[in-house]
């Protein structure tokens, strides 16, 4: 157990997942508030589209993500997922057309596809042979919960105090910090073929 807790890649990955959730969890609720303010008549339809678009992208691209992770390794896809999240935050901060906001949700689909495949894959990489996959998954799950819990509280406060554009820019900055964490300190976890 303690050997697993000393696994640097697991702790770095858990930290990056915390940043991912800190940046991601508040984006859709904040954006829903913006859409409701700007286009109250079409808000329910637009928000529904903002939920469906990423799900469709996840369904279509997850198999590609899995295959590519085996070919390229995990890090390039993690970088792609964080970059898409940062771009999404910046676009939410600058785009005012409610209909274009639905198109921006394509980036949410990219991030969701990457991380829905990468989280169990990297946990399996790191925990391989230890017999503690569930513990490793729990560590990453705890980081997910902490990040998501703090995201809505902090982003909501920033949005109420400084406006939604500042909140979205801040969330994009958190995503950029996660990108930097993967770029500079996260090692590749893909095991080479025997």
């Amino acid at each position: 157990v303690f050997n697993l807790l000393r696994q640097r890649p697991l702790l770095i990955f858990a930290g990056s997942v915390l940043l991912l959730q800190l940046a991601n969890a508040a984006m859709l609720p904040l954006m829903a508030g913006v859409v409701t303010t700007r286009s109250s008549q079409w808000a329910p339809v637009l928000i529904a589209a903002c939920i469906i678009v990423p799900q469709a992208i996840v369904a279509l691209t997850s198999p590609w993500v899995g295959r590519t992770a085996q070919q390229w390794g995990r890090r390039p896809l993690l970088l792609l997922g964080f970059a898409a999240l940062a771009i999404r935050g910046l676009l939410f901060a600058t785009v005012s057309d409610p209909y274009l906001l639905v198109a921006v949700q394509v980036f949410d689909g990219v991030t969701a596809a990457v991380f829905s495949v990468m989280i169990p894959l990297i946990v399996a990489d790191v925990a391989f042979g230890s017999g503690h996959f569930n513990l490793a998954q729990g560590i990453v799950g705890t980081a997910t919960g902490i990040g998501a819990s703090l995201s809505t509280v902090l982003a909501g406060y920033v949005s109420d105090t400084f406006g939604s554009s500042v909140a979205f820019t801040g969330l994009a900055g958190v995503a950029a910090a996660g990108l930097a964490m993967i770029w500079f300190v996260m090692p590749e976890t893909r095991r080479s073929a025997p």
Side-chain angles (χ1 to χ4, degrees):
V1 173
F2 292 109
N3 284 341
L4 185 67
L5 294 175
R6 285 194 290 265
Q7 285 271 354
R8 190 171 157 264
L10 176 63
L11 300 178
I12 292 168
F13 184 61
S16 71
V17 168
L18 189 148
L19 291 174
L20 168 84
Q21 291 300 330
L22 188 60
N24 186 50
M27 275 199 202
L28 186 59
L30 275 180
M31 193 271 304
V34 170
V35 167
T36 303
T37 305
R38 293 182 187 158
S39 178
S40 58
Q41 181 182 359
W42 288 99
V45 173
L46 292 172
I47 293 166
C50 285
I51 294 168
I52 292 168
V53 165
Q55 297 303 318
I57 290 172
V58 169
L60 292 172
T61 60
S62 290
W64 176 85
V65 171
R67 285 191 305 274
T68 306
Q70 292 303 106
Q71 296 166 355
W72 296 359
R74 300 355 175 189
R75 287 183 71 241
L77 291 165
L78 291 174
L79 293 170
L80 174 68
F82 271 111
L85 183 58
I87 291 167
R88 178 175 164 231
L90 290 175
L91 288 173
F92 277 163
T94 55
V95 170
S96 58
D97 183 336
Y99 299 96
L100 280 178
L101 292 174
V102 175
V104 172
Q105 280 295 89
V106 167
F107 291 102
D108 185 27
V110 172
T111 301
V114 166
F115 282 91
S116 65
V117 174
M118 287 297 106
I119 288 176
L121 202 53
I122 291 174
V123 168
D125 291 344
V126 173
F128 182 79
S130 71
H132 296 296
F133 174 83
N134 288 340
L135 175 62
Q137 186 84 356
I139 291 168
V140 173
T142 301
T144 298
I146 292 169
S149 301
L150 292 174
S151 179
T152 50
V153 172
L154 296 176
Y157 173 77
V158 171
S159 180
D160 287 347
T161 307
F162 303 105
S164 61
S165 290
V166 173
F168 284 127
T169 303
L171 294 172
V174 173
L179 179 75
M181 189 173 190
I182 297 297
W183 184 271
F184 292 111
V185 296
M186 178 73 186
E188 177 56 58
T189 62
R190 180 184 60 172
R191 296 174 339 102
S192 50

